[in-house]
Each structure stands twice: as C-alpha cells, then as structure tokens.
Amino acid sequence: MKLQPLTPGAAEPFAYAIRAVDGKMTEVPMVTEIGDVPGRHVFTVLAPKPVPADAISITFLERHPHSTQSFLPLRVGRWLVVVAPTLPSGDPDLGNVRAFVAGPEDAICIARNAWHAGLTVLDQPAEFGMQMWRSDAGDDGVVFTLDQPLALAL
C-alpha cells in the first residue's frame, strides 16, 4: 500500500489534526474528552525507535473504546498515521485501510474506538507526548492481529 501525505482532513473521521485555527489560540476539546468509564487522564512521553523506510510492515491494529488518543510530536522526523474503518462485526475493515506520512509539525487526535496502527516512526529516534483517558479497569486497549502484515511503501 502506498503512503499518502497527511493533509488537513485526510484521516477524518478516524484521526483529526491538532492545529491552531487562523493562527489563533484554539481549544481542542476532543483531546481532553473524559472517557465513558472510571479512570483518569494520563500524559505519557513515548520514545519509539525508527523502522527502515524500505521495510514498513504493520502487524496489528488497535483501538481504544473508552478514550481518544492524542500524539504530540516533541522530537521526530517523519512518522505514520494508519487508520481503518470498523466492519459490522467490530473488526477493522482491512480493505479500506488509509495510511499517511506525517511530519514533525503534525499532531493528531485519534477518535475514540477508531482502529489505528501503533506509533511508527521513520528517519530517527523520536519522542511524542501522548494524552488519553486511562481506564481504571485497564480494559481500553483492543488489539487485532493481522493474518498477513500490511506492507507500506513511501
């Protein structure tokens, strides 16, 4: 699958750009949305290692039924945003996966319950701030392992 550049609105309704509107302070309520189960907001700094750009392979998708999940680049080159719709069965629709290359200026909020790949970076080790609602029960991560890895190409 060929990766596309991440442009405003391209990943919607699964992921939304976090940006100022018209160069002005802009609140983004989706980022601090309270989950639908008891829990708390957490802010974590992630430090993913890069994968080779000529060997990008996605082996699983995940979703968070009780929380949005926001990624705020702190130090990064290019990174991937991979999202998929949900089938009536609840599984990801692998025939309609959308994959994008984001850059250091791209922050996103993944919608609640949206299928997405784990954080994947290219070029260099990275750091991201990640904000989400953490369920007290620890039941907010659903993983779908792909039968065949999804190969992505720049």
Side-chain angles (χ1 to χ4, degrees):
M1 165 180 278
K2 180 106 169 103
L3 289 155
Q4 302 297 316
L6 183 64
T7 56
E12 291 179 12
F14 312 109
Y16 296 83
I18 300 173
R19 289 211 156 97
V21 176
D22 297 326
K24 298 178 183 171
M25 180 184 84
T26 304
E27 290 188 14
V28 186
M30 179 184 257
V31 171
T32 56
E33 186 177 285
I34 294 174
D36 61 352
V37 296
R40 68 197 185 293
H41 279 113
V42 294
F43 185 87
T44 305
V45 177
L46 306 173
K49 304 295 183 227
V51 300
D54 61 349
I56 305 167
S57 181
I58 304 299
T59 59
F60 70 93
L61 296 175
E62 63 184 89
R63 64 182 172 89
H64 304 283
H66 307 298
S67 179
T68 62
Q69 187 177 36
S70 296
F71 294 96
L72 309 162
L74 302 173
R75 180 177 53 90
V76 66
R78 295 175 299 167
W79 59 289
L80 306 183
V81 177
V82 180
V83 294
T86 302
L87 293 169
S89 67
D91 291 343
D93 181 353
L94 301 177
N96 287 299
V97 171
R98 293 167 26 191
F100 305 95
V101 177
E105 69 285 352
D106 294 310
I108 63 163
C109 182
I110 295 177
R112 181 185 297 197
N113 217 23
W115 287 107
H116 62 283
L119 187 56
T120 304
V121 301
L122 309 172
D123 306 326
Q124 66 189 42
E127 291 183 359
F128 282 82
M130 186 272 295
Q131 162 107 18
M132 70 182 294
W133 182 259
R134 179 73 37 92
S135 162
D136 287 343
D139 61 349
D140 196 33
V142 177
V143 174
F144 183 91
T145 303
L146 303 177
D147 291 333
Q148 295 292 321
L150 179 63
L152 303 177
L154 294 172

